């Protein structure tokens, strides 16, 4: 296939900067309530056990209020009848109590025993969503509008009693309420259909009122999520061990508190708005419920006075009206709950259905006996940033060649690595691997080519072996040990009680070990070394946190480790680039100077300036430490002499 025909890989980070495109990807369609209900019911209906439990619950809990109405009827009738004796009364009351207990226990059991089923289903969706989060295009994390937009996905999945799982529980419970409402409604219709109709009207009105409140809140959700995300981030940082030292030594907490205060004030304003609206509308709902009660009492009292019903019937129906009102309220609130939480679950569904990964790409790299890399007129600026980090950069690296990339802080070295590894794409120009533009290669084929050690290498809370192998399955344990040895971390890991199976960090388990910054870096190096099939090794300041001895050891080993691989090495310490074939200096977004150390020194440019400054610093440091150690040994000798003189008899020292 010729290069022109090759399809480009698509990184959504740039596209989704545009609000309309973002909405089109994240909100491809409006989900209607019936569609959502079908969607969430389908996994539940597949389980016969749950369907039967739901029906059982509906009948057992639905009968309870109806029984309560009937018992009032029977007890009053017994009390009223001339032959009514205490024994019959106790028999009825006892029978009712037993039935009540059996039905309630059955209903509660059916409800609670199936709790786990719904939780497991929800966690399944949670896993799907987290997977999407982890695989989405890295550049999207730079887009705060996008993050605010997708920040909504998690709400509907984050609790047992709200969102998706809450809706399942609610629908399960509403089965019982619906049975009660139906039976009580039929009982009341016997006297007047008006009561039943008024009840239905109430449910509809109340539902719309609540749905209105829910929509009002939902429409302000984005702002709420934005505030919650910032508040959450601040509290995460405040509790983050890594920032603990800075926080205390630089007294940053004052800054934190003012940021926190202003965010909380905005948040409270929000909540006040919500509550005001809720109060106004729910007041109207309660009023209409009261109206139904008044009308029913009026109808039933008139019937009693007219002799159409007896006193026991009247009391039964009055009880039924009260229970009917209660159950109507539960039903209306239940419907409104489902409607509201489905609005939020629609955000989750949109997120689950949006494809946010880099996708496409039909190019193939012919790996052969190694990889030749060429940056061709490469320019880049970060999504949403005006400034270009790289501008028309050209650089060629031969197969198996080791190139050191140097430059001042912020020159763009790490950015260049992100482009090289395909995490980002150049805004202009191409990066070629053996002649193939890597922006046409699918990421899943590109990533295995690299072994990368990034500057920041905070490990995950997994075991040493899992971190090094990058998986929890099929770990080649011998290779893990070999990689740890080569990276100089084996001496440490071999002292752990669980060896390479020792978990790291204490977030998950108290047994987790904490490594120092330098040891974390060695671990990252071991992880890079474990990938034996990688063809390009990228080391971004791999020894920044290592002590001098560990650094020297790594450099001695690098020659062997890098054999046959094309390597990219970034370091501040210019002297550490010695093992590289060539040095390239990045400045002003371009490669300004390149060649061997000697050639660059002869050129007399920025490299020479940087190297001279560094070596002067090292020389001075060396001289200082030499002087210090000479002074120390003089002092030591003096002290020893004195001590010896004190121990010896007079005059012996002179001999
Ligand atoms: P180096 O590795 O040479 O120190 P970087 O590649 O990290 O430099 O950064 C180069 C420039 O790009 C810096 O000016 C930095 O502020 C900017 N930069 C780095 N990362 C981002 C980002 N995620 N979004 C916007 N600008 C960034």
């Amino acid at each position: 296939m010729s290069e022109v025909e090759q399809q480009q890989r698509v990184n959504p980070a740039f596209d989704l900067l545009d609000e309309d495109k973002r909405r089109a990807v994240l909100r491809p369609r409006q989900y209607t309530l019936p569609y959502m209900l079908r969607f969430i019911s389908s996994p539940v209906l597949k389980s016969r056990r749950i369907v039967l439990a739901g029906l059982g619950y509906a009948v057992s809990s639905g009968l309870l209020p109806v029984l309560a109405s009937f018992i009032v009827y029977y007890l009053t009738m017994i009390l009223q009848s001339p032959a009514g004796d205490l024994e019959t009364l106790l028999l009825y009351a006892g029978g009712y109590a037993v039935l009540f207990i059996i039905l309630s226990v059955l209903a509660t059991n059916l409800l609670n025993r199936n709790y786990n089923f719904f939780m497991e289903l929800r966690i399944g969706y949670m896993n799907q969503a987290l997977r999407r989060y982890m695989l989405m295009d890295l550049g999207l994390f730079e887009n705060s509008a996008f993050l605010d937009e997708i920040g909504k996905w998690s709400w509907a999945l984050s609790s047992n009693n709200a969102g998706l799982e809450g809706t399942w529980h609610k629908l399960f419970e509403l089965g019982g309420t619906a049975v009660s409402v139906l039976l009580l409604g039929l009982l009341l219709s016997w006297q007047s259909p008006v009561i039943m109709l008024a009840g239905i009207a109430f449910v509809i009105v109340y539902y719309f009122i609540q749905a209105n409140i829910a929509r009002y809140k939902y429409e302000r959700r984005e702002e709420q999520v934005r505030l919650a995300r910032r508040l959450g981030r601040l509290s995460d940082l405040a509790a983050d061990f890594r920032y603990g030292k800075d926080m205390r030594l630089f007294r940053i907490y004052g800054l934190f508190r003012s940021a926190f205060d202003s965010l909380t004030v905005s948040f409270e304003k929000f909540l006040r708005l919500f509550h005001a609206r809720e109060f106004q509308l729910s007041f109207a709902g309660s009023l209409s419920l009261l109206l139904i009660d008044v009308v029913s009492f009026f109808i039933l009292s008139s019937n009693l006075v007219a002799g159409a019903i007896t006193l026991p019937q009247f009391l039964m129906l009055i009880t039924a009206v009260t229970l009917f009102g209660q159950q109507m309220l539960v039903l209306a609130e239940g419907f409104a709950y489902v409607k509201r939480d489905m609005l939020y679950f629609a955000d989750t569904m949109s997120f689950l259905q949006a494809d946010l990964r880099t996708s496409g790409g039909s190019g193939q790299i012919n790996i052969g006996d190694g990889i030749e890399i060429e940056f061709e007129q490469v320019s880049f600026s970060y999504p949403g940033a005006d400034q270009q980090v790289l501008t028309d950069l050209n650089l060629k690296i031969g197969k198996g060649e080791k190139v050191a990339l140097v430059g001042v802080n912020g020159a763009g070295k790490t950015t260049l690595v992100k482009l090289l590894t395909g995490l980002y794409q150049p805004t202009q120009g191409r990066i070629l691997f053996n002649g193939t533009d890597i922006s046409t290669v699918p990421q899943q084929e590109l990533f295995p080519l690299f072994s990368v050690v990034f500057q920041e290498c905070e490990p995950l809370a997994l075991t040493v072996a899992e971190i090094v192998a990058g998986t929890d399955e099929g770990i080649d344990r011998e290779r893990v040990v070999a990689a740890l040895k080569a990276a100089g971390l084996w001496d440490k890991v071999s002292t752990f009680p669980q060896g390479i199976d020792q978990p790291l960090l204490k977030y998950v388990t108290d047994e987790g070990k904490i490594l120092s910054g330098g040891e974390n870096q060695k671990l990252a190096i071991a992880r890079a070394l474990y990938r034996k099939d990688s063809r390009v090794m990228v080391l971004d300041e791999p020894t920044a946190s290592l002590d001098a001895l560990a650094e020297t050891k790594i450099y001695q080993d690098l020659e062997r480790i890098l054999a046959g691989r094309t390597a990219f090495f970034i370091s501040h310490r210019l002297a550490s680039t010695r093992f590289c074939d060539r040095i390239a200096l990045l400045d002003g977004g371009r490669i300004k100077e390149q060649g061997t150390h000697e050639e660059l020194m002869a050129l007399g440019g920025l490299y020479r300036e940087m190297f001279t400054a560094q070596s002067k610093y090292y020389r001075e440091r060396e001289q200082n430490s030499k002087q210090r150690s000479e002074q120390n040994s003089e002092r030591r000798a003096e002290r020893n002499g004195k001590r010896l003189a004190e121990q010896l008899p007079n005059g012996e020292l002179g001999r």
Side-chain angles (χ1 to χ4, degrees):
M1 193 184 279
S2 90
E3 238 178 69
V4 185
E5 287 164 2
Q6 283 166 3
Q7 177 214 343
Q8 289 269 328
R9 191 174 67 242
V10 182
N11 285 59
F14 284 92
D15 272 0
L16 298 195
L17 283 172
D18 180 83
E19 190 174 340
D20 291 335
K21 284 190 185 158
R22 200 163 59 235
R23 296 225 175 246
V25 170
L26 289 176
R27 287 255 164 226
R29 51 176 294 184
Q30 283 285 331
Y31 298 107
T32 62
L33 187 59
Y35 174 83
M36 305 273 298
L37 288 178
R38 268 202 311 279
F39 182 88
I40 68 161
S41 316
S42 73
V44 180
L45 295 178
K46 280 188 194 135
S47 162
R48 249 173 68 125
R49 182 173 65 87
I50 294 295
V51 172
L52 288 176
L55 289 175
Y57 174 83
V59 174
S60 49
S61 81
L63 280 177
L64 287 172
V66 189
L67 280 180
S69 307
F70 277 110
I71 196 65
V72 171
Y73 170 74
Y74 284 110
L75 294 186
T76 351
M77 217 169 60
I78 296 167
L79 283 173
Q80 258 196 341
S81 81
D85 60 320
L86 189 63
E87 209 176 297
T88 329
L89 190 82
L90 286 178
L91 194 72
Y92 270 84
Y96 169 73
V98 170
L99 202 58
F100 180 86
I101 290 172
I102 293 175
L103 288 177
S104 321
V105 168
L106 185 67
T108 317
N109 229 311
L110 287 169
L111 186 67
N112 292 344
R113 277 184 48 169
N114 293 300
Y115 219 77
N116 279 357
F117 172 86
F118 295 114
M119 195 171 74
E120 277 164 23
L121 270 187
R122 172 175 65 88
I123 289 173
Y125 282 109
M126 189 88 184
N127 280 341
Q128 272 184 40
L130 287 177
R131 197 178 141 73
R132 291 201 154 249
Y133 217 73
M134 286 192 278
L135 291 180
M136 77 186 195
D137 188 17
L138 187 71
L140 288 171
F141 284 98
E142 320 266 1
N143 182 341
S144 66
F146 169 83
L147 290 181
D148 286 339
E149 181 102 11
I150 61 158
K152 293 181 287 183
W153 73 265
S154 60
W155 188 87
L157 293 182
S158 54
S159 160
N160 293 109
N161 298 314
L164 180 61
E165 194 181 333
T167 304
W168 277 322
H169 294 311
K170 189 59 81 181
L171 288 172
F172 196 94
E173 288 166 22
L174 283 182
T177 317
V179 170
S180 299
V181 164
L182 191 73
L183 295 178
L184 291 170
L186 286 175
L187 183 67
L188 291 169
S189 304
W190 161 57
Q191 275 307 300
S192 165
V194 173
I195 302 176
M196 174 93 155
L197 291 178
I200 294 172
F202 166 77
V203 171
I204 295 173
V205 170
Y206 195 88
Y207 168 78
F208 279 109
I209 288 174
Q210 289 295 331
N212 181 298
I213 298 175
R215 181 149 287 285
Y216 178 81
K217 280 184 174 179
Y218 177 78
E219 277 163 4
R220 279 144 194 85
R221 180 90 179 127
E222 212 155 297
E223 177 62 9
Q224 200 184 354
V225 166
R226 202 176 66 80
L227 288 170
R229 191 162 68 83
R230 281 158 182 70
L231 269 172
R233 181 79 186 123
L234 277 181
S235 36
D236 285 352
L237 286 178
D240 194 325
F241 173 68
R242 285 173 300 174
Y243 302 107
K245 294 193 286 298
D246 300 56
M247 209 80 81
R248 283 156 185 76
L249 291 169
F250 292 97
R251 297 172 180 264
I252 300 175
Y253 44 75
L255 272 176
F256 260 67
R257 211 187 43 214
S258 46
F260 227 99
D261 285 349
S262 83
L263 281 172
T264 345
V265 168
S266 313
F267 210 74
E268 276 170 9
K269 251 192 221 158
F270 237 95
L271 296 183
R272 267 203 297 279
L273 263 179
F274 288 168
H275 290 156
R277 188 150 185 117
E278 245 166 19
F279 176 75
Q280 289 158 6
L281 290 173
S282 60
F283 184 68
S286 309
L287 208 64
S288 53
L289 197 61
L290 187 71
L291 210 66
I292 296 178
D293 279 353
V294 171
V295 171
S296 309
F297 276 94
F298 178 74
I299 295 172
L300 294 176
S301 311
S302 316
N303 288 358
L304 178 69
V305 172
I309 49 173
T310 60
L311 185 65
Q313 285 170 342
F314 173 76
L315 289 177
M316 174 186 76
L317 291 170
I318 287 293
T319 311
V321 165
T322 315
L323 293 173
F324 183 66
Q326 276 175 11
Q327 294 296 311
M328 283 309 231
L329 191 61
V330 174
L331 194 69
E333 279 181 347
F335 285 159
Y337 178 105
V338 171
K339 164 79 181 166
R340 182 195 66 205
D341 284 28
M342 283 297 96
L343 275 179
Y344 294 96
F345 185 60
D347 291 333
T348 313
M349 283 197 25
S350 304
F351 179 63
L352 287 174
Q353 292 181 0
D355 198 353
L356 301 170
R357 284 173 306 176
T358 59
S359 57
S362 60
Q364 263 190 341
I365 300 167
N366 179 12
I367 295 173
D369 57 346
I371 290 186
E372 180 192 75
I373 302 171
E374 183 171 5
F375 287 79
E376 200 182 76
Q377 298 286 104
V378 169
S379 300
F380 179 75
S381 48
Y382 279 95
D386 305 328
Q387 246 182 339
Q388 275 200 337
V389 180
L390 304 177
T391 312
D392 295 332
L393 179 140
N394 290 302
L395 179 67
K396 202 165 175 175
I397 305 160
K399 284 180 190 170
E401 196 182 4
K402 287 148 197 57
V403 170
L405 189 68
V406 298
V408 294
N409 281 341
K413 302 180 294 291
T414 302
T415 306
L416 196 106
V417 171
K418 290 184 194 164
L419 292 179
L420 174 77
T421 48
L423 288 170
Y424 288 85
Q425 297 212 38
T427 23
Q428 266 166 20
R430 301 188 304 167
I431 301 171
L432 306 168
F433 277 20
N434 290 350
T436 301
D437 180 353
I438 60 166
S439 69
T440 66
V441 179
Q443 247 178 6
Q444 64 272 24
E445 281 172 39
L446 196 59
F447 284 167
L449 296 179
F450 300 101
S451 274
V452 188
V453 182
F454 280 113
Q455 274 180 55
E456 318 88 25
C457 32
E458 183 71 12
L460 297 170
L462 301 169
T463 67
V464 173
E466 285 165 352
I467 294 172
V468 172
T471 172
D472 58 354
E473 282 168 14
I475 298 176
D476 182 340
R477 299 175 67 84
E478 276 175 27
R479 199 138 55 87
V480 169
V481 173
L484 287 167
K485 280 182 180 163
L489 195 60
W490 177 240
D491 286 349
K492 174 91 184 183
V493 173
S494 58
T495 64
F496 291 161
Q498 298 176 55
I500 61 171
D501 298 313
Q502 188 75 36
L504 294 187
L505 304 184
K506 296 208 179 277
Y507 301 125
V508 180
T509 159
D510 281 346
E511 290 169 12
K513 296 277 180 200
I514 309 254
L515 298 180
S516 72
E519 287 161 347
N520 283 335
Q521 208 147 31
K522 288 180 185 174
L523 189 70
I525 294 173
R527 185 175 61 173
L529 300 182
Y530 181 87
R531 305 180 74 163
K532 70 173 189 299
D533 297 329
S534 67
R535 309 309 293 259
V536 180
M537 186 99 179
V538 181
L539 304 156
D540 185 355
E541 298 274 354
T543 56
S545 314
L546 296 192
D547 57 56
L549 287 177
E551 188 181 12
T552 314
K553 168 91 175 65
I554 287 281
Y555 289 138
Q556 279 164 359
D557 289 343
L558 272 178
E559 229 15 275
R560 180 174 50 78
I561 290 166
L562 296 178
R565 286 170 172 153
T566 308
F568 231 86
F569 176 68
I570 299 176
S571 180
H572 266 105
R573 280 177 253 189
L574 301 183
S576 66
T577 59
R578 238 169 294 146
F579 72 94
C580 292
D581 304 315
R582 189 155 44 105
I583 298 165
L585 177 105
L586 184 61
D587 183 34
R590 293 191 170 90
I591 300 295
K592 280 278 169 60
E593 300 169 17
Q594 57 178 310
T596 59
H597 168 71
E598 289 71 27
E599 285 165 355
L600 291 185
M601 288 302 279
L603 201 67
L606 181 59
Y607 178 85
R608 184 191 169 96
E609 199 183 316
M610 284 167 68
F611 189 86
T612 320
Q614 270 190 8
S615 49
K616 184 164 168 263
Y617 165 74
Y618 281 115
R619 258 203 317 275
E620 277 173 7
R621 211 165 65 156
E622 218 167 277
Q623 242 165 23
N624 285 343
S625 74
K626 216 162 144 190
Q627 268 173 9
R628 258 200 313 274
S629 82
E630 277 168 10
Q631 282 167 1
N632 282 345
S633 53
E634 275 169 21
R635 266 190 236 122
R636 225 178 1 254
E638 207 175 304
R639 265 201 315 271
N640 288 345
K642 270 193 192 149
R643 216 177 300 136
L644 203 61
E646 280 160 13
Q647 286 165 9
L648 294 172
N650 277 347
E652 254 186 80
L653 192 64
R655 266 192 268 154

